Amino acid sequence: MIKFAFGFAWMVIVLWSCSTDPGKVGLDLLPTGDLVNVSRVIEKESIKAYTEVDGNQRTDEPTRTLLGTYNDSIFGKVTTDFAIQLRLNNFPTYTKDDIFDSLVYYIAYKEVYGDTVTAQKLKLYELGSSLDLNSKYYQDVDLKSMVKGSPLVELDYVPKFRLDSLTNTYGSTKADPKDTVTQEIAFHLSEEFARKLMSADSVKLSDNDAFLQFFKGLYIEAGDLSQGGSIVKATGSGMVLYYRKDADTTKYAQTFYVTQSSARVSHFSHDYSTTAFASSLGQTDTEDSLIYLQTTGGLRTKILIPNLGTWSDSTDFAINQAELVFQIDTTVTDVTKLIPPEQLVFSVIGIDDKGNPIKYLPSDFSFSQIYYGGTYYSKDKTYRFNIARHLQEVIDKKAGRDNLGFYLSTSLPSSSYRRTVLKGSTSKTGIRLNITYSKFK
């Protein structure tokens, strides 16, 4: 710990003294003769990286829901859809004798990932089985098996995307718009289904528990596409019943809300059969010059650094900085059209007390998330992680810090669709671990 404390203090000085020679910064802070030298090591040749499936992600109560089918020329086909509960926020004023105007389920969205020319084939079903807000659901959940009957609505919908050049909230201008206009998908349901809701007695409408037993919710299915497509990220949804009363020209509306108390469950599926990496997915006998990362329980990378902690020639040293650098391959994917993940996650592979494999964040993360890193740097198209503290723990053979490898994965795996291609360990650029350390007496 003392070694890391010294090393980190030195690292902070480096960050504030970028124009100074790293071999000399901070020398005046130590007693004369204590420090022998400051050295740098670039670990690159020994690093190995393999793309694998990112496990079965939990998908209940995501902060955003995803909808659509997208055929990616690099990542194959991904399909995302979801089921939701709708709740009342007040006792309805409609009766079974009121005049029906329309019943519409709306999905609002701002983000489209993919093209805006291919129509999504969407189907809206009523749920026949209840969702449980307290249960855990995963990406392979069979939501289709929970519906009852045929689709209430079938809709071919072409996603729209438009930037708002008029808002000044983020310094937006016509030449450089910063905000997007909210778009809506509107499912117009039949009067027959609306009459079912309007005929509910006072007991079924007395509270949300009773209402959810009567009307369990909706499932929105994204149909198959053989080419093109996109994923939209919903910012919210709800259903509105419009009606009138006899001899009254007023148009009334009853809203059924999706709230934080509503169960929301996403389903994701992937087909990698047409991809260039399909045959090597999950294999550790051959390395590729490219590695692939994808949200929605898609792809992650396993990183092995066999020489971690054994490259030094002395135990009398402190790690000042250990920066792991991953480079996006811009020749394979256009980052201006397909936005990379805003944040990646670098986690450590470990073993628990019972011998089961686990993963955890390096101690550098708990020290400071900003210091830990992982944010996308658009200027040089890189992701950078600082793991100095973890490296020091491995070198010092701290209990539970065995060098078993790492996982590189995407953040927000269930609430955002992102993917990226990085330079692999066998590429010319490679994956670099830049280490600066101080050797002392």
Side-chain angles (χ1 to χ4, degrees), residues 93-94 98-102 240-255:
T93 60
Y94 57 71
D98 289 334
I99 302 169
F100 168 77
D101 278 341
S102 62
V240 184
L241 171 63
Y242 300 98
Y243 63 97
R244 290 174 290 119
K245 294 183 178 294
D246 190 27
D248 186 348
T249 58
T250 304
K251 191 170 185 178
Y252 296 91
Q254 173 65 48
T255 302

Side-chain angles (χ1 to χ4, degrees), residues 312-326:
S312 62
D313 57 2
S314 171
T315 58
D316 296 324
F317 65 92
I319 301 298
N320 304 324
Q321 187 175 20
E323 183 184 55
L324 196 59
V325 183
F326 296 92

Side-chain angles (χ1 to χ4, degrees), residues 59-66 260 264-266 268 414-415:
T59 58
D60 50 285
E61 282 64 67
T63 56
R64 293 286 185 267
T65 47
L66 307 174
Q260 290 300 313
R264 308 174 306 283
V265 179
S266 294
F268 307 138
S414 298
S415 302

Side-chain angles (χ1 to χ4, degrees), residues 193-208:
F193 183 72
R195 287 295 176 190
K196 171 188 173 178
L197 298 178
M198 297 174 74
S199 65
D201 59 36
S202 59
V203 174
K204 294 183 178 67
L205 302 175
S206 60
D207 59 44
N208 273 302

